[in-house]
Amino acid sequence: MSKTAIIFGATSLIAEHTARLLAAEGWELVLVGRNRQALQVVASHVRLTGCAPVHELHGDATDMDSLPQLVESANQLLGRLDLALIAWGCFFPNPDARQIQEMERINHVATTALAKLLGQALAQQRGGTLAVLSSVAGDVLRPANYSYGSTKAALDADLQELRQTLAPCGVRVLTIKPGRVETPLTACVPRSPFSATPAATAAGICRAIQSKQDVVYLPGWLRAVFFVLRSLPKGLVKRLRF
Ligand SMILES: NC(=O)c1ccc[n+]([C@@H]2O[C@H](COP(=O)([O-])OP(=O)(O)OC[C@H]3O[C@@H](n4cnc5c(N)ncnc54)[C@H](OP(=O)(O)O)[C@@H]3O)[C@@H](O)[C@H]2O)c1
């Protein structure tokens, strides 16, 4: 029997690459996206790489009332859920008040609400993995992305709470913290020499799903870098330009 997964924000470039890798391994997938046309394109690409069914569901993070029905629909389509991956997110450089609110709403409030619903569904079936795309930006807040970073820091805290609550039910909560990846999300800021590709990040996500770790940095060496950065005195961090 093939493994099953639901991916929210399936039109994200990182999510699309991840879905292709899972499909190639024989997973049956439900892809959720807010843009029906973009979702159809992604789903058709994913279908080319695997032979298990690939379903499409329309879902928008801003419509929080629709989230329970989305989880229910995925359950009906798949029967049992082995993996739920939340990949949606948004980022605005130099955000105004409305954009700060949007980042908070999508990256933190809607993602945490959805994670709780998915956690309940996995707990009811006594097992499965809930994986969420957070970011290293939540580890050390810096002038270039205070608002975005704070939404991911708040998300990390909520995921930690959920991990502790759900562990006795056999549910694993996996926080994934990529560094910079070149995708449409970051197209508005200059390229970084340290960026990863969406394909390499997706391969890391698939390895993380198979592992037993709770929090994964991608690439892995970022764990040591951010351990050091978090340990630095705040006064020194204030003077760093990064
Ligand atoms: N790129 C990086 O450097 C980086 C680093 C660390 C973490 N991340 C995280 O990785 C995740 C995926 O990002 P990405 O880099 O792959 O960027 P991306 O390709 O721009 O994907 C962003 C995704 O979020 C979806 N989305 C945005 N607002 C939504 C809403 N209201 N409802 C439903 N979906 C919504 C977008 O849908 P549409 O296609 O309809 O716009 C798209 O699927 C995000 O959570 C991001 O914070 C990215």
Side-chain angles (χ1 to χ4, degrees):
M1 214 171 68
S2 51
K3 287 193 171 181
T4 59
I6 180 165
I7 302 180
F8 292 84
T11 54
S12 125
L13 200 50
I14 296 174
E16 178 179 354
H17 279 272
T18 308
R20 287 195 210 181
L21 292 177
L22 293 175
E25 286 173 12
W27 289 60
E28 180 175 353
L29 302 173
V30 173
L31 305 180
V32 184
R34 65 173 168 174
N35 177 327
R36 288 177 204 274
Q37 269 185 326
L39 185 64
Q40 268 177 14
V41 172
V42 168
S44 61
H45 289 161
V46 174
R47 284 188 190 103
L48 291 175
T49 62
C51 30
V54 177
H55 314 273
E56 297 165 40
L57 286 179
H58 177 253
D60 191 316
T62 56
D63 182 7
M64 288 186 47
D65 291 343
S66 69
L67 298 181
Q69 184 53 49
L70 273 176
V71 175
E72 180 54 34
S73 303
N75 259 329
Q76 280 171 9
L77 284 165
L78 296 174
R80 189 190 152 81
L81 199 55
D82 293 303
L83 167 71
L85 171 66
I86 308 179
W88 62 32
C90 63
F91 164 70
F92 300 100
N94 309 312
D96 58 25
R98 190 194 55 77
Q99 291 167 329
I100 290 173
Q101 212 175 23
E102 189 173 338
M103 286 194 283
E104 171 61 13
R105 194 170 173 201
I106 293 163
N107 298 349
H108 176 213
V109 179
T111 302
T112 295
L114 177 61
K116 285 185 177 167
L117 288 168
L118 290 165
Q120 278 164 13
L122 294 172
Q124 270 166 17
Q125 57 173 38
R126 310 288 311 165
T129 297
L130 168 64
V132 183
L133 276 173
S134 181
S135 170
V136 294
D139 276 28
V140 178
L141 302 185
R142 41 194 194 95
N145 62 7
Y146 269 121
S147 304
Y148 173 76
S150 65
T151 66
K152 294 293 189 178
L155 173 64
D156 290 349
D158 288 343
L159 292 176
Q160 176 58 22
E161 183 200 358
L162 211 49
R163 177 173 298 121
Q164 281 176 262
T165 311
L166 293 175
C169 310
V171 178
R172 175 177 167 229
V173 177
L174 170 63
T175 305
I176 300 165
K177 291 173 168 264
R180 173 73 185 272
V181 188
E182 296 304 333
T183 69
L185 187 100
T186 50
C188 48
V189 281
R191 286 181 83 91
S192 157
F194 301 109
S195 326
T197 61
T201 306
I205 291 172
C206 290
R207 281 194 304 276
I209 291 164
Q210 303 302 335
S211 79
K212 291 194 161 38
Q213 283 178 282
D214 291 332
V215 180
V216 167
Y217 287 74
L218 296 175
W221 52 264
L222 284 175
R223 181 183 292 275
V225 172
F226 277 85
F227 175 78
V228 172
L229 286 173
R230 282 197 312 271
S231 313
L232 293 175
K234 293 277 181 290
L236 180 58
V237 174
K238 194 171 71 181
R239 272 179 255 132
L240 290 178
R241 292 276 168 268
F242 65 103

